[in-house]
Amino acid sequence: MDIDKIPVPCYVLDEQLFRNNLSLIRSVKERAGVNIILAFKAFALWKAFPIVREYIPYSTASSKFEARLALEEMGNPAHTYSPAYTEEDFPEIMRCSSHITFNSLSQFERFYPQVLGSGKRISCGLRVNPEYSDVDTELYNPCAPGTRLGVVSSLLGDKLPKGIEGLHFHTLCESSSYDLEKTLERVEKKFGHLLPSVKWLNMGGGHLMTRKGYDIEHLIGLLKRFKTKYPNLEIIMEPGSAFAWQTGVLVSSVVDIVENNGIKTAILDVSFTCHMPDCLEMPYKPAVRGARIDAGGEHVYRLGGNSCLSGDYMGDWTFDHALQVGEKIVFEDMIHYTIVKTNMFNGISHPAIALWTCDGKLRMWREFDYEDYKNRMA
């Protein structure tokens, strides 16, 4: 990728890196005999869906808009789950979905009659909470004490309601196959007596199988053993980050350099709160090309966003030279859980979106202007 050819600010998806991830995911799907589908909540760049469909045909949605995107742009109805459906949204959810998972028994009881009356063949499931997760950050922990997500075993008893054909759990976040193994032990302990009575088990997302060092062979073996134990089950996995992990960048530039109490801040033409919100929510420091985190030395800068939020910054970063106004700053791995969460706080312009093709060309997919901001406020 030739950074000099990229306008700023701009998100750029690298097609070859993306295809590498898709090839690995398809390989796991085929070797393990499971169904792996794309979670839009992490990656919903629909102009990339023609590439995705060459490898993976199905997707999972968490809202009526995501479900419609699955039907119209992925070309197949969605596996849909939401913490709560409404009377207004549910007809559209049914129109666009092949599977609908309910978060509670009350939601299932409320909406299942509509499924029966729709005349559509929709497979209904229930999200369960095994009350176990290896996720340390509570903001991302679906099984934190008091969570609103999923039904605990004490509320289910020995039998599922008529009409429930599948179970769904989601406990992982950028996790390993060994984390999944421990989770499955807890799922079996809490819900194993129900597994022979359902047709499918959705293991949710968080399976970061495209990360360097992930034990693919262990994952495949684990899934095969589980399928042997429960031959009645279709196993579904719905990672999001794994599809777009380390497949692209956010290219920005230095607008100004200010100093206060010995701290030099390079103010950029992008914002952490607007364009990289997970950095502040998690929080975490992203990799910056050509810079080291907290390394000390002569050329140390705090990187500041261009919103008026005082906390819109990350630091400290050590460069091998003094930064200059106009210099490009490249944030690595900025495709998953970025574009889907961006906002236009302060009226700050959204970065453009582009594809760097396999033959080394930049294809601009979308640029944003004043009308995009104005229409959001209408």
Side-chain angles (χ1 to χ4, degrees):
M1 187 184 298
D2 187 346
I3 298 301
D4 291 335
K5 293 182 179 179
I6 298 170
V8 290
C10 188
Y11 294 101
V12 188
L13 174 66
D14 187 310
E15 181 182 358
Q16 187 57 63
L17 296 178
F18 190 46
R19 287 184 179 275
N20 292 346
N21 282 359
L22 290 167
S23 294
L24 186 147
I25 291 169
R26 181 175 62 184
S27 173
V28 171
K29 173 183 181 293
E30 293 174 349
R31 291 178 60 197
V34 301
N35 191 9
I36 302 180
I37 62 182
L38 169 64
F40 285 173
K41 62 186 174 184
F43 181 84
L45 279 180
W46 56 270
K47 288 188 177 179
F49 289 176
I51 300 173
V52 176
R53 289 198 304 266
E54 295 179 31
Y55 303 83
I56 298 291
Y58 299 106
S59 55
T60 178
S62 299
S63 65
K64 68 175 182 180
F65 289 160
E66 284 190 346
R68 180 175 172 180
L69 193 67
L71 187 64
E72 293 184 356
E73 301 300 336
M74 280 291 284
N76 283 300
H79 293 236
T80 303
Y81 160 79
S82 173
Y85 302 108
T86 65
E87 294 287 349
E88 179 184 17
D89 290 353
F90 199 71
E92 181 74 346
I93 292 288
M94 289 192 295
R95 184 182 76 86
C96 300
S97 304
S98 60
H99 296 64
I100 298 178
T101 297
F102 295 90
N103 186 62
S104 67
L105 291 168
S106 58
Q107 280 263 300
F108 171 73
E109 292 164 0
R110 178 180 172 185
F111 288 107
Y112 184 59
Q114 292 191 36
V115 175
L116 288 177
S118 70
K120 286 195 65 179
R121 179 66 187 95
I122 299 172
S123 185
C124 292
L126 190 68
R127 177 165 177 168
V128 294
N129 176 7
E131 300 173 81
Y132 170 83
S133 176
D134 279 335
V135 178
D136 293 327
T137 304
E138 187 161 326
L139 182 66
Y140 297 98
N141 184 352
C143 299
T147 181
R148 73 194 191 286
L149 303 175
V151 181
V152 295
S153 59
S154 61
L155 295 178
L156 279 180
D158 297 328
K159 194 175 180 182
L160 289 168
K162 185 178 180 181
I164 293 293
E165 296 184 342
L167 295 177
H168 172 121
F169 68 85
H170 182 107
T171 68
L172 305 176
C173 177
E174 297 186 358
S175 302
S176 72
S177 60
Y178 297 93
D179 297 324
L180 174 61
E181 185 172 37
K182 288 182 284 187
T183 298
L184 286 177
E185 291 172 2
R186 187 61 62 95
V187 169
E188 286 193 275
K189 181 179 179 181
K190 296 282 188 177
F191 306 103
H193 62 290
L194 301 173
L195 293 179
S197 65
V198 293
K199 297 179 179 179
W200 51 266
L201 177 65
N202 188 323
M203 297 184 180
H207 314 278
L208 195 47
M209 60 189 72
T210 51
R211 177 171 54 191
K212 184 178 180 180
Y214 188 102
D215 194 336
I216 292 294
E217 297 306 318
H218 177 260
L219 174 65
I220 292 171
L222 175 65
L223 294 172
K224 284 184 172 180
R225 290 191 298 273
F226 198 86
K227 282 173 56 66
T228 299
K229 192 171 184 179
Y230 301 100
N232 57 301
L233 291 179
E234 175 193 7
I235 303 299
I236 304 165
M237 306 171 76
E238 46 180 47
S241 292
F243 279 78
W245 183 257
Q246 295 185 343
T247 59
V249 297
L250 173 57
V251 183
S252 65
S253 67
V254 178
V255 176
D256 194 13
I257 297 174
V258 299
E259 186 168 354
N260 187 337
N261 287 325
I263 297 174
K264 292 181 180 180
T265 299
I267 301 179
L268 310 175
D269 57 0
V270 295
S271 162
F272 291 96
T273 191
C274 294
H275 309 136
M276 298 172 276
D278 268 4
C279 293
L280 301 182
E281 291 177 2
M282 188 69 162
Y284 80 97
K285 292 181 179 179
V288 173
R289 190 169 298 183
R292 294 169 292 152
I293 302 172
D294 299 324
E298 182 179 359
H299 305 296
V300 178
Y301 296 86
R302 174 182 287 181
L303 298 181
N306 59 344
S307 81
C308 65
L309 176 70
S310 60
D312 188 2
Y313 69 86
M314 300 292 288
D316 294 312
W317 298 89
T318 300
F319 292 81
D320 61 4
H321 62 281
L323 295 182
Q324 303 294 320
V325 170
E327 182 172 345
K328 288 185 176 179
I329 302 294
V330 180
F331 291 93
E332 307 282 8
D333 197 20
M334 281 293 158
I335 300 299
H336 62 96
Y337 280 112
T338 50
I339 303 168
V340 294
K341 298 181 75 170
T342 55
N343 61 75
M344 299 184 82
F345 171 61
N346 268 179
I348 293 172
S349 182
H350 193 292
I353 302 173
L355 177 74
W356 188 265
T357 66
C358 289
D359 57 358
K361 297 179 181 177
L362 182 69
R363 182 183 302 163
M364 298 301 297
W365 272 347
R366 178 71 193 275
E367 295 179 81
F368 298 83
D369 57 21
Y370 168 70
E371 294 300 325
D372 294 297
Y373 169 71
K374 182 180 178 181
N375 290 336
R376 285 169 63 97
M377 303 299 115

